[in-house]
Amino acid sequence: MPHNDEPPVTLRIFGKQSRFLREQREMTRRELAGLIPYSESLIAMVERGERPPKPGYVDAVDQALGANGVLRVLIPDVAEKHHPAWAEEYVNLQAEALALHVYSTHFLHGLLQTEDYARAVFRSVRPSMEDEEIERSVQARLATQSLLTRKPACRMTFVLEEPVLQRKIGGPAVWEGELRNLLKLSELHNIQLQVMPLARETHAGMDGPMTLLETPDHHTIGYVEGHRGSYFLTEPDDVSVMSHVYGTLRSQALDAEASRDLIHRLLTGDARA
């Protein structure tokens, strides 16, 4: 599958068109920001195709630039979706997966997040997201969690770095609720959680987080996320390496019972937190 770092073509076209109209009127981004209820930085991101514009933004810019509907007509093609365009393909594949294997290093995978934890994660995103955008993203994330109890069941394993569990994203109450959620999820027959302890002196995960996903036709693909997008790995050699790394990570991590015990001790204050 192709690398998905590039912004969607529709967003790039809209961005170039809106920038062209602005420059034709010899107007700076700062001057445009003074005419509409949106920031200069947001205008820059939209013009580069990095942020999908809301319909209100398109209307405001169309009017401010005297575009006479040239931009407004593109709303159906560029309207913001629940998931970033570069993640849509992964979300669809995940919903149909026979098996999912995840290594997390900075925060919990979306399938493991409570509503409050997910909201805190999106509030941490920079550039900052608007409140409405955050709530749509939270609800979209929660919708993916139907996979946890889907029938037939999806087989899932998660290797979590210990600092992921110690990091109190959203504050103590949100953190405690998330730990309780992990203990509850660990009781599901199709889910296995393992913690990679800080005390571990050898570590196979130096290349960072990753996901392995088994499709309905029994093909395994790799998925890696980055700052500006994501990409799939489908070549057998690449998938083989990722599978080897993940297998080693699982052998280095605490087993499921010890991991559950660590989570419980973090929750009760009997372990470093």
Side-chain angles (χ1 to χ4, degrees):
M1 296 183 185
H3 196 288
N4 291 326
D5 271 353
E6 283 291 320
V9 173
T10 53
L11 296 189
R12 281 183 280 156
I13 291 174
F14 178 87
K16 289 180 179 179
Q17 183 69 33
S18 59
R19 178 178 178 177
F20 173 79
L21 291 171
R22 174 178 61 77
E23 292 178 344
Q24 282 288 98
R25 286 154 182 75
E26 298 183 347
M27 185 184 297
T28 66
R29 288 170 178 158
R30 178 171 297 181
E31 289 170 338
L32 177 58
L35 299 175
I36 64 176
Y38 298 93
S39 68
E40 182 181 352
S41 61
L42 178 61
I43 293 170
M45 286 187 287
V46 171
E47 288 187 348
R48 292 194 297 264
E50 296 172 356
R51 179 68 70 87
K54 297 176 183 298
Y57 173 95
V58 179
D59 283 334
V61 173
D62 190 279
Q63 182 175 353
L65 297 179
N68 297 317
V70 169
L71 297 178
R72 193 177 295 116
V73 74
L74 297 173
I75 287 178
D77 300 304
V78 299
E80 188 170 38
K81 298 181 180 180
H82 290 312
H83 301 285
W86 54 264
E88 285 291 333
E89 189 172 8
Y90 172 78
V91 170
N92 294 333
L93 286 170
Q94 178 181 272
E96 300 179 348
L98 298 180
L100 190 70
H101 308 292
V102 179
Y103 170 49
S104 299
T105 62
H106 290 77
F107 56 88
L108 293 169
H109 189 274
L111 291 171
L112 304 179
Q113 295 178 8
T114 64
E115 180 173 349
D116 288 338
Y117 185 97
R119 186 171 291 109
V121 168
F122 284 116
R123 289 195 183 281
S124 299
V125 171
R126 294 295 181 272
S128 299
M129 300 168 64
E130 297 181 19
D131 288 344
E132 291 181 0
E133 184 181 0
I134 289 173
E135 290 307 311
R136 283 196 297 273
S137 298
V138 168
Q139 296 308 311
R141 176 154 294 179
L142 296 178
T144 67
Q145 295 179 3
S146 61
L147 182 65
L148 298 170
T149 54
R150 188 198 67 192
K151 296 185 183 301
C154 176
R155 305 182 304 277
M156 288 177 270
T157 66
F158 297 86
V159 176
L160 316 173
E161 286 290 336
E162 186 177 343
V164 172
L165 301 178
Q166 295 181 350
R167 187 170 293 117
K168 299 182 180 181
I169 292 179
V174 172
W175 176 71
E176 291 176 7
E178 183 57 59
L179 292 184
R180 292 190 182 94
N181 183 56
L182 292 177
L183 290 174
K184 181 179 178 180
L185 291 175
S186 70
E187 297 175 353
L188 296 178
H189 71 93
N190 59 315
I191 295 177
Q192 187 171 66
L193 304 179
Q194 292 181 256
V195 178
M196 179 68 75
L198 274 170
R200 183 77 207 183
E201 295 182 358
T202 57
H203 197 311
M206 296 303 170
D207 287 336
M210 64 176 180
T211 298
L212 287 164
L213 183 151
E214 184 181 350
T215 66
D217 56 357
H218 301 286
H219 286 102
T220 298
I221 61 177
Y223 179 72
V224 179
E225 289 184 289
H227 284 279
R228 304 303 302 163
S230 64
Y231 61 92
F232 291 95
L233 292 169
T234 58
E235 291 297 323
D237 287 346
D238 293 329
V239 174
S240 177
V241 169
M242 290 184 70
S243 297
H244 175 69
V245 169
Y246 189 76
T248 305
L249 286 169
R250 292 194 66 189
S251 71
Q252 293 174 337
L254 301 176
D255 64 24
E257 184 176 349
S259 297
R260 181 180 171 84
D261 180 65
L262 175 58
I263 295 171
H264 181 75
R265 287 188 286 112
L266 285 169
L267 186 58
T268 59
D270 293 331
R272 181 176 55 186

